[in-house]
Amino acid sequence: MTERGEFMKGKEVIRLVPEEEGDEGAVGGTIGRPKVITAKTGPHKLLMEDAGGRGVYGIELRDIQGIQVDMPMGTKMVLKNVTVARGILLLTPANTLVLGGKVEALNQQYLANRKQVLNAALEKLRSQS
């Protein structure tokens, strides 16, 4: 969406039209485009993995500072006294602390391949119908 100059405001898609050359105040050639969209779109479902490679899903029950859609792969988190319901971790600000950081190899691979993976999945769905 960002490549096309679009962003979400609630359920509404906002498209920004590039201004003519020479306009000042443009970010990426588009007037008014926010640098970072800070609106929360949670709750978020996270796939988390410990150092041993065991994976588990967690769901954000209330907004947690640092959890957002554009978090880098490999973000470090500290979890204490987390409730587990049907194999899902129930995350709240009281039991979750986001430290930040990223695993550079995972993040670069994800960013480089995400559009190709999504396009391949879309083509597969189109061929089935």
Side-chain angles (χ1 to χ4, degrees):
M1 286 179 63
T2 21
E3 289 177 358
R4 295 186 308 264
E6 300 175 349
F7 65 94
M8 296 289 290
K9 183 177 181 182
K11 291 185 178 182
E12 182 180 353
V13 176
I14 308 295
R15 290 184 183 90
L16 299 173
V17 179
E19 297 294 325
E20 294 180 18
E21 290 183 29
D23 286 339
E24 295 299 319
V27 177
T30 305
I31 298 275
R33 179 188 295 173
K35 291 181 183 178
V36 177
I37 300 169
T38 57
K40 290 290 284 187
T41 57
H44 298 94
K45 181 179 179 182
L46 306 171
L47 173 59
M48 298 179 282
E49 188 175 294
D50 67 0
R54 291 177 295 252
V56 65
Y57 283 102
I59 185 119
E60 178 186 31
L61 295 179
R62 281 177 273 157
D63 286 349
I64 299 172
Q65 178 112 16
I67 294 181
Q68 52 200 359
V69 173
D70 60 350
M71 280 179 25
M73 300 287 277
T75 300
K76 311 312 183 275
M77 300 173 71
V78 176
L79 306 174
K80 294 182 181 179
N81 300 323
V82 178
T83 304
V84 179
R86 298 185 183 227
I88 306 287
L89 302 179
L90 304 178
L91 307 175
T92 64
N95 62 22
T96 306
L97 174 65
V98 179
L99 300 176
K102 62 182 171 183
V103 176
E104 193 62 41
L106 285 175
N107 201 45
Q108 284 180 348
Q109 179 183 1
Y110 170 73
L111 292 174
N113 296 333
R114 71 179 170 183
K115 190 171 182 180
Q116 293 172 351
V117 169
L118 290 172
N119 282 334
L122 182 62
E123 288 301 320
K124 183 178 178 183
L125 287 173
R126 284 182 181 162
S127 67
Q128 290 176 354
S129 57

